[in-house]
Amino acid sequence: MATVTKLNLKAETGDCHRLEAEQSEAPAEISDSRTKRVVELGNGCEVIYMPRFLNYDQSWDYLEYLNRNIPWNRPTIRVFGRSCVQPRDSCYVASEGLPQLVYSGYQPHAYSWDEFPPLKDILDAVHKALPGSRFNSLLLNRYKGGDDYVGWHADDEKLYGPTPEIASLSFGCEREFLLKKKPDKTSRGKNTSGEPPRKRLKKDAFPDKHSFVLKHGSLLVMRGYTQRDWLHSVPKRVKADSLRINLTFRLVL
Ligand SMILES: O=C(O)CCC(=O)C(=O)O
Ligand SMILES: [Fe+2]
């Protein structure tokens, strides 16, 4: 891994200093309930959040390495029939021989894992944490500041199959990650019971919105039917004015 100037980068990500204080006070061993939160979204959709997945200092090293060594690109994409510049930098890494990824009318070049050895180490750690997972592709995003964002979307491209597991690692500035339920078009969501709406409310035990503040070194996993039934976004945040890098590992079938 490349030599890093961790301190300089920490200074640049000023808003994230708070995080460092929190972390240094943490006990050496933390119980699973503090390190892992499982959120059932209902209907076979699930999110897992591990705020302290990777070692804090090593995560700064990764941020520095990725910032310097990834061939970042800000492509022109199509959203609702209009061309626009993607509001963040990105890059795509994938194993050889997979079908090509196309999103928002854009087909990114697939770089090889061999070009970025630290990505293989991160991938190994993710595989260990998620038994049975075997990710073979990775979409990287770089948010230079609070104006960079990703709008509401689902990662429901056909090449991931009907129930993709997506493992999302965050480095640097904390950003809010939002989930909202898609409008329900099926009979599942309609009141066909004949019961008055007040009674039905009690049975709707699952909220239709969630928010996570994705911490430096954290891992968030979406699984089951989350991409079919839910949308997610990382909205603009004026105050989050420092660098964040996010990695989403996926399995192309
Ligand atoms: O940056 C994030 O946390 C989310 C990125 C994302 O949703 C995506 O790449 O599809
Ligand atoms: Fe996504």
Side-chain angles (χ1 to χ4, degrees):
M1 191 163 155
T3 321
V4 294
T5 49
K6 207 169 14 191
L7 287 175
N8 291 347
L9 204 76
K10 276 187 188 172
E12 276 173 34
T13 54
D15 279 333
C16 302
H17 282 180
R18 183 167 50 86
L19 232 159
E20 189 176 14
E22 270 175 26
Q23 200 78 19
S24 59
E25 284 157 21
E29 276 188 32
I30 352 177
S31 76
D32 200 46
S33 61
R34 275 192 66 191
T35 56
K36 184 174 171 182
R37 200 173 126 202
V38 180
V39 181
E40 292 296 339
L41 304 176
N43 277 326
C45 307
E46 186 181 78
V47 167
I48 299 171
Y49 181 54
M50 301 182 213
R52 297 172 194 183
F53 175 66
L54 286 180
N55 171 278
Y56 184 78
D57 283 335
Q58 185 163 33
S59 295
W60 285 113
D61 292 350
Y62 283 136
L63 178 70
E64 177 74 23
Y65 170 84
L66 296 167
N67 191 33
R68 285 179 184 227
N69 293 283
I70 293 296
W72 296 106
N73 178 28
R74 200 167 273 237
T76 297
I77 55 171
R78 283 192 83 77
V79 183
F80 300 121
R82 283 194 182 175
S83 281
C84 58
V85 176
Q86 183 179 271
R88 64 195 177 281
D89 298 327
S90 63
C91 179
Y92 182 56
V93 173
S95 303
E96 268 173 44
L98 297 179
Q100 295 269 19
L101 170 67
V102 179
Y103 70 91
S104 304
Y106 168 65
Q107 183 178 308
H109 171 76
Y111 288 89
S112 157
W113 298 97
D114 296 337
E115 293 180 57
F116 314 106
L119 288 181
K120 293 187 187 180
D121 299 336
I122 299 174
L123 178 60
D124 285 347
V126 173
H127 280 153
K128 267 196 194 140
L130 303 173
S133 63
R134 46 190 183 96
F135 299 107
N136 56 13
S137 65
L138 167 64
L139 197 59
L140 302 95
N141 287 305
R142 179 171 69 173
Y143 304 79
K144 286 186 171 159
D147 277 345
D148 285 0
Y149 68 98
V150 59
W152 289 110
H153 70 282
D155 297 310
D156 55 1
E157 285 80 10
K158 283 221 166 70
L159 77 175
Y160 300 134
T163 55
E165 181 173 46
I166 296 181
S168 164
L169 263 157
S170 294
F171 300 101
C173 191
E174 292 178 0
R175 291 289 293 262
E176 210 176 351
F177 178 85
L178 306 178
L179 277 156
K180 74 173 178 190
K181 203 162 189 307
K182 291 183 189 174
D184 202 332
K185 291 183 205 135
T186 69
S187 58
R188 269 184 298 130
K190 292 197 181 125
N191 184 0
T192 51
S193 67
E195 291 173 28
R198 270 183 133 237
K199 255 193 177 172
R200 285 186 76 250
L201 262 182
K202 271 197 181 164
K203 285 186 200 158
D204 293 342
F206 298 106
D208 55 9
K209 283 180 190 160
H210 291 272
S211 161
F212 298 83
V213 177
L214 297 185
K215 288 185 176 284
H216 175 63
S218 70
L219 176 68
L220 179 136
V221 184
M222 295 180 276
R223 51 164 64 149
Y225 287 105
T226 306
Q227 303 309 316
R228 183 194 66 183
D229 294 355
W230 291 74
L231 298 170
H232 57 275
S233 69
V234 175
K236 282 189 184 191
R237 284 289 179 262
V238 183
K239 286 184 182 167
D241 211 7
S242 50
L243 186 76
R244 169 176 186 261
I245 290 178
N246 171 263
L247 314 182
T248 50
F249 293 94
R250 301 130 187 264
L251 174 68
V252 175
L253 298 174

